Amino acid sequence: MHNPDAETSTMNEAKPTKIRFEYGDDDEATATGSSNLDEDLPMCDPVDDDKTSADYYFDSYSHFGIHEEMLKDVVRTKTYQNVIYRNTFLFKDKIVLDVGAGTGILSLFCAKAGAKHVYAVECSQMADMAKEIVEANGYSNVITVLKGKIEEIDLPVPQVDIIISEWMGYFLLYENMLNTVLYARDKWLVSNGIVLPDNASLYLTAIEDAEYKEDKIEFWNNVYGFDMSCIRKQSIMEPLVDTVDQNQIVTNCQLLKTMDISKMTSGDASFTAPFKLVAERDDYIHALVAYFDVSFTVCHKPTGFSTGPRSRNTHWKQTVLYLEEVLTICEGESVTGSMTVAQNKKNPRDVDITLKYSLNGQRCVISRTQHYKMR
Ligand code: SAH
């Protein structure tokens, strides 16, 4: 069963693409005592309120909401903070490039940890806020905010020692910001330089999910007595980003792909990986679930986080791929197959996934290929 407290979102409605989540009651606590009366407005330049929803539709990172969600993802943000503050030896007197700086949070961590200079590159309107934030915190002499795309900006230095970035999308690769990090690495990183994080791994497992599959997929078979199953075909093709309860897990978790961000090429982000998921109990399988880990292996003590169903929730949740038919699996039997992941040819930010799977069990024999699109 999916966590009823968490909001669900299909990839389709995900604009902005990083979606809201909450930790406990903290939100309520921070909401009280604040006011939106004019006299309480901060003394910065007037806010650019000419923006309409159309601007944000194409540039969701310009709105603070998406940054609020990322910053409040403490698993994410605390891990970066720990990596930086507990490994100051990496940063001392080093030149850092923050790829996709957003509010500038990672640049501020690096500056505080003793970096010689930090270049914070951000293409959205949030770059203007990052400049103010850097100034307000007294780091203007250490952090230079550059507004523009990594692929288009002129960096004032020929080389950097460290590249830091939080580029991961849903299913790790959705939004394809990894290419931007690799571009920056190849253009500016010194030969013995480091990339943070330097490791990302994608995993697959299988879950029982009868109730939710009924609600999200089979729903379309009979809508107030009408057959809308043409929409069912579309809905099953869209991976669902949602939290999975660890009790739903039926099989082992299989590592699909590990990426070494300091060495890989952009082509390595498209791959076919085999899998074998062995049932740990008699159960039904309604979906396969993908999630990722990232790690910072150059730290004094290796550090990282997981977005898996057995770990504390993050705003990435997990990615659920529903199967056409229910698999009836017995303990010890396995679903074997392969997953192919590729950039969409028309829109490189979208991801095409092909799942081939088969089960040759006592109670169920099935072999199938399904196509999915993250968009
Ligand atoms: N580093 C921030 C923001 C991470 S989200 C934090 O950790 O909170 C990724 C950011 O990268 C977004 O703000 C997005 O606008 C920016 N971005 C994406 N592609 C980019 C590109 N090609 N050049 C510059 N910035 C980019």
Side-chain angles (χ1 to χ4, degrees):
M1 208 179 59
H2 290 261
N3 178 357
D5 295 327
E7 286 192 21
T8 53
S9 167
T10 63
M11 296 313 303
N12 236 4
E13 71 195 45
K15 306 266 184 209
T17 51
K18 298 215 171 181
I19 47 186
R20 187 175 144 70
F21 77 107
E22 286 169 13
Y23 281 118
D25 299 318
D26 290 354
D27 283 8
E28 221 172 83
T30 50
T32 52
S34 73
S35 155
N36 60 358
L37 297 176
D38 279 351
E39 59 260 32
D40 283 344
L41 280 176
M43 284 178 294
C44 50
D45 292 339
V47 197
D48 173 12
D49 47 16
D50 294 344
K51 283 213 170 304
T52 68
S53 59
D55 296 309
Y56 292 126
Y57 185 89
F58 293 108
D59 184 13
S60 55
Y61 285 107
S62 290
H63 190 271
F64 65 84
I66 199 165
H67 297 278
E68 179 179 351
E69 287 145 27
M70 291 188 291
L71 294 169
K72 285 182 177 170
D73 182 340
V74 292
V75 172
R76 180 200 88 109
T77 312
K78 260 278 165 203
T79 302
Y80 276 86
Q81 188 186 43
N82 288 342
V83 162
I84 299 165
Y85 286 1
R86 292 181 187 169
N87 296 278
T88 50
F89 68 93
L90 290 174
F91 295 88
K92 202 172 167 339
D93 299 328
K94 295 287 164 55
I95 308 266
V96 180
L97 173 61
D98 179 357
V99 174
T103 53
I105 185 72
L106 305 183
S107 295
L108 291 161
F109 289 156
C110 295
K112 203 168 170 180
K116 185 169 159 194
H117 206 89
V118 186
Y119 294 95
V121 182
E122 171 57 45
C123 63
S124 76
Q125 303 301 325
M126 196 47 63
D128 300 332
M129 291 292 111
K131 274 181 200 159
E132 283 199 31
I133 292 166
V134 165
E135 269 169 39
N137 289 279
Y139 283 106
S140 308
N141 54 340
V142 186
I143 302 172
T144 304
V145 178
L146 300 165
K147 187 177 182 177
K149 284 197 168 143
I150 280 282
E151 295 81 355
E152 292 164 8
I153 52 133
D154 288 319
L155 202 62
V157 287
Q159 286 188 315
V160 300
D161 303 302
I162 299 176
I163 286 180
I164 193 160
S165 184
E166 196 283 82
W167 53 269
M168 297 80 74
Y170 295 131
F171 185 70
L172 185 64
L173 296 167
Y174 180 61
E175 288 190 76
N176 195 25
M177 211 187 135
L178 175 57
N179 266 351
T180 299
V181 174
L182 301 180
Y183 174 93
R185 180 199 68 186
D186 294 343
K187 190 162 181 184
W188 294 298
L189 192 66
V190 289
S191 57
N192 58 347
I194 58 175
V195 185
L196 298 170
D198 60 340
N199 199 285
S201 297
L202 195 65
Y203 295 83
L204 193 67
T205 190
I207 60 165
E208 189 286 328
D209 205 16
E211 214 177 308
Y212 216 70
K213 188 186 180 205
E214 197 59 38
D215 184 45
K216 295 299 293 182
I217 310 288
E218 311 306 346
F219 165 79
W220 297 107
N221 291 331
N222 179 349
V223 181
Y224 296 89
F226 296 101
D227 177 353
M228 297 195 183
S229 56
C230 55
I231 299 183
R232 180 193 183 279
K233 283 193 199 119
Q234 294 182 344
S235 75
I236 202 164
M237 286 185 77
E238 284 194 12
L240 188 79
V241 173
D242 202 356
T243 46
V244 166
D245 188 297
Q246 56 176 308
N247 296 321
Q248 294 175 265
I249 301 172
V250 176
T251 66
N252 61 316
C253 298
Q254 159 96 55
L255 172 68
L256 284 178
K257 176 85 176 170
T258 290
M259 296 177 197
D260 178 347
I261 316 303
S262 61
K263 294 200 181 80
M264 70 181 289
T265 64
S266 61
D268 297 334
S270 297
F271 58 87
T272 297
F275 62 81
K276 182 178 181 187
L277 300 171
V278 185
E280 287 165 353
R281 61 179 188 230
D282 290 359
D283 210 331
Y284 300 98
I285 292 174
H286 299 88
L288 301 192
V289 173
Y291 62 91
F292 63 90
D293 291 359
V294 292
S295 53
F296 302 76
T297 68
V298 294
C299 292
H300 185 56
K301 289 180 86 167
T303 312
F305 63 86
S306 173
T307 66
R310 290 199 167 93
S311 303
R312 184 170 171 186
N313 270 327
T314 70
H315 75 286
W316 287 285
K317 304 181 180 181
Q318 289 89 40
T319 302
V320 182
L321 304 138
Y322 285 106
L323 305 181
E324 277 292 347
E325 284 131 299
V326 183
L327 310 184
T328 306
I329 198 163
C330 302
E331 186 178 340
E333 291 178 354
S334 52
V335 184
T336 55
S338 66
M339 182 185 265
T340 300
V341 176
Q343 263 180 28
N344 183 276
K345 290 201 175 70
K346 277 197 213 134
N347 183 349
R349 290 167 81 79
D350 293 356
V351 182
D352 292 336
I353 304 166
T354 302
L355 205 57
K356 288 188 181 169
Y357 57 91
S358 53
L359 168 63
N360 196 353
Q362 284 174 55
R363 299 190 174 159
C364 179
V365 176
I366 217 162
S367 191
R368 245 200 129 97
T369 301
Q370 278 183 246
H371 300 282
Y372 303 84
K373 269 188 202 314
M374 303 271 298
R375 60 194 152 114

